[in-house]
């Protein structure tokens, strides 16, 4: 059985003020937001983003930019991150943003990364997610394989395979996306249902997408993990090659 995939974004203070109602109306289901970095930095927009994304009815997750080069510091960062999550109702597992690895040895990567993940899981009771790019993911050992992988890889039709991981749970496929409610570029993602901790959205009720200049049914179907034939059927489209800017499409 094919696993449901949800359209998503990930954001931080760099996106400025976000209108999450417009984000949702543009077909986004999931938003991961930066919460913290190191042992003392809190993203300036985290509380605002959390509050407004939840109010808009989006599935919300948070990530921490992990910078430790040893296990002791990694545990301290996990503790700092977990405090930022305290009292919040997260819909997705907490994520370790693990991308600043060029200066680390493989031993440092393994010891610090695992220390962070293990400490975070013990504090939150939830198995965390690893976010990283393809080259970094291929430096991870088999001991990381029990954690879901959120993989950044652009310009491909699907993420490349990574040793020890049977599949991807999240895929960041663009860092130049445009979404309603956000000024400028934003990271675009696809998230599998396994990353939704709580009840899935009522897929029996269709989403509504407004056609934009340059859209095609093929591109829209790909974005929402559906098919052109399903869009044609659901919207009673007579000519699949003819859609209009401003046209409202139902999407399941």
């Amino acid at each position: 059985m094919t696993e449901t995939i949800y359209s998503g974004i990930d954001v931080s203070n760099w996106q400025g003020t976000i209108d999450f109602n417009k984000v949702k109306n543009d077909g986004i289901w999931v938003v991961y937001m930066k919460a913290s970095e190191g042992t003392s930095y809190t993203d300036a927009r985290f509380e605002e983003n959390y509050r407004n994304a939840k109010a808009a009815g989006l599935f919300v997750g948070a990530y921490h930019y992990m910078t430790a080069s040893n296990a002791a510091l990694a545990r301290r960062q996990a503790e700092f991150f977990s405090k930022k999550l305290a009292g919040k109702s997260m819909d997705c597992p907490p994520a370790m943003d693990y991308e600043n690895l060029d200066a680390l040895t493989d031993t440092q990567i393994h010891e610090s990364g695992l220390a962070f993940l293990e400490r975070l899981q013990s504090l939150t009771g939830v198995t965390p997610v690893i976010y990283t790019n393809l080259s970094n993911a291929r430096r991870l050992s088999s001991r990381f394989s029990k954690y879901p992988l959120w993989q950044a890889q652009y310009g491909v039709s699907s993420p490349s395979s990574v040793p020890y991981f049977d599949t991807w749970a999240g895929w960041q496929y663009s860092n130049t996306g445009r979404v309603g409610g956000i000024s400028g570029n934003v990271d675009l993602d696809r998230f599998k249902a396994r990353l939704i901790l709580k009840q899935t959205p009522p897929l029996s009720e269709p989403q509504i997408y407004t056609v934009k200049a340059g859209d095609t049914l093929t591109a829209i179907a790909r974005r929402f993990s559906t098919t052109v034939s399903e869009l044609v059927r659901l919207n009673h489209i007579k000519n699949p090659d003819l859609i209009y800017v401003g046209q409202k499409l139902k999407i399941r």
Side-chain angles (χ1 to χ4, degrees), residues 73-102:
L73 183 55
R75 294 187 189 98
R76 286 177 54 199
Q77 292 197 20
E79 291 160 5
F80 178 66
F81 181 30
S82 69
K83 290 178 181 177
K84 300 303 170 185
L85 304 180
K88 292 181 170 61
S89 177
M90 289 293 173
D91 306 289
C92 305
M96 174 181 71
D97 184 338
Y98 207 33
E99 56 183 299
N100 188 24
L101 308 183
D102 289 346

